[in-house]
Amino acid sequence: MRICIIGCGAVGSLFAAHLAKAGEAEVWAYDVWKEHIEAIRKNGLRLSGAADFTAKLNATSDVNELPRCDYGIVATKAIHTRNAIAQVSHIFDENSAVCSVQNGVGNEEIIAERVKYVIRGTTFPAGHPIGPGHIGYDIQGDTWIGPFEPTNTSMNKVEELAGWITRSGMNTIALKDARGAQWTKLIFNASTNPVGALALLHHGAATRFGPTGQLFNDLISEGEAVAKKLGIELHGDPRELVRKGASAPGKHRASMLQDVLAKRQTEVDFMNGAIVQWGEKVGVPTPLNKALWGLIKGLEHSWTDPD
């Protein structure tokens, strides 16, 4: 069995390294970060922090080197989903299934345009690049996966992939309906990411500071109202995720803060933008999410057109 990790940055590398170390499947990593790929090919993929090991695996930046794969795990930023799946879709056939473990909502719809079977995924492990071939493993956590409803993916495929990932050391729960888990993380991300990015505060600091901590709660309430109107039962309390993240060791910078500091396009369209758009569809007002969405988009615009 072969599995391809599409987008081998921080989160993708966590999955790639664990699966390769377990040795149950032939693991391939695809990423356009050529220095990272070359380092993995030469020295292996190193994780340090919550786990510390180096794994050997196949890695490439050339899509023509990728073989046909039984499973895919898409871990690119949401803004790169369409390009990434267009580049690699030829390695999946009518029996393959591809799982998104990305932030936000809307990625599965894009993947399903090119792949027959799609798995909806939500993951909480987090990390950051230390250098080519070396990823810091910041936060451990569970992953939830389930069939993406429009593609009629079988639970057998979901359970097989969940079993592989769990046995590799990253606990993964197979669910018949993974929307609740996905929306729980969406609401968590849409509260913590833009606030931390605009205030330049790591997660723990933003949680403990009164004004930003209150803003987290108010944003969560808006997201919960949208999910309730959609008939989605959340898989836990986003506020508990905020508390858990704040108590984790170290000073974890959320992905959006990392993007802002590097002046890269963020995933805000798939986070706050998605909540606003779904709120408009079902008639639930989301003024705070709309404000944060506009502010982050304005900040992105300032890097390219400051005049």
Side-chain angles (χ1 to χ4, degrees), residues 10-11 77-78 102-104 126-129 138 185 188-189 192-194 196-197 201 203 252-268 271:
V11 171
K77 287 194 175 294
Q102 299 161 278
N103 284 328
H128 69 280
D138 298 333
K185 189 184 180 188
F188 161 77
N189 273 335
T192 58
N193 269 261
L201 292 171
H203 181 78
H252 176 65
R253 290 174 171 173
S255 60
M256 196 175 293
L257 175 55
Q258 294 180 41
D259 288 338
V260 164
L261 292 173
K263 295 187 175 181
R264 293 188 298 255
Q265 186 181 355
T266 73
E267 297 177 293
V268 72
M271 293 182 186

Side-chain angles (χ1 to χ4, degrees), residues 116-132:
K116 183 175 181 181
Y117 294 118
V118 179
I119 296 172
R120 187 191 293 277
T122 301
T123 194
F124 280 93
H128 69 280
I130 293 174

Side-chain angles (χ1 to χ4, degrees), residues 208-274:
R208 290 186 288 270
F209 182 55
T212 47
Q214 183 60 51
L215 192 50
F216 283 178
N217 282 327
D218 295 342
L219 285 159
I220 287 171
S221 294
E222 284 189 2
E224 287 174 329
V226 175
K228 184 177 180 180
K229 193 67 177 288
L230 285 167
I232 295 172
E233 184 177 348
L234 295 184
H235 196 78
D237 183 354
R239 293 172 186 80
E240 182 56 36
L241 298 178
V242 171
R243 289 189 287 270
K244 184 177 179 181
S247 64
K251 297 179 178 181
H252 176 65
R253 290 174 171 173
S255 60
M256 196 175 293
L257 175 55
Q258 294 180 41
D259 288 338
V260 164
L261 292 173
K263 295 187 175 181
R264 293 188 298 255
Q265 186 181 355
T266 73
E267 297 177 293
V268 72
D269 291 340
F270 290 79
M271 293 182 186
N272 303 83

Side-chain angles (χ1 to χ4, degrees), residues 121-182:
T122 301
T123 194
F124 280 93
H128 69 280
I130 293 174
H134 186 189
I135 299 296
Y137 191 179
D138 298 333
I139 298 174
Q140 291 179 315
D142 291 340
T143 299
W144 295 278
I145 64 175
F148 177 56
E149 302 78 13
T151 62
N152 296 311
T153 306
S154 73
M155 276 302 293
N156 287 339
K157 289 185 181 295
V158 174
E159 289 165 354
E160 183 172 49
L161 181 59
W164 276 356
I165 301 171
T166 295
R167 291 190 296 275
S168 79
M170 297 179 71
N171 192 48
T172 301
I173 300 99
L175 300 170
K176 289 183 179 179
D177 184 352
R179 292 178 305 156
Q182 187 178 52

Side-chain angles (χ1 to χ4, degrees), residues 269-286:
D269 291 340
F270 290 79
M271 293 182 186
N272 303 83
I275 289 176
V276 171
Q277 289 165 349
W278 277 109
E280 289 173 349
K281 288 178 183 178
V282 298
V284 175
T286 55

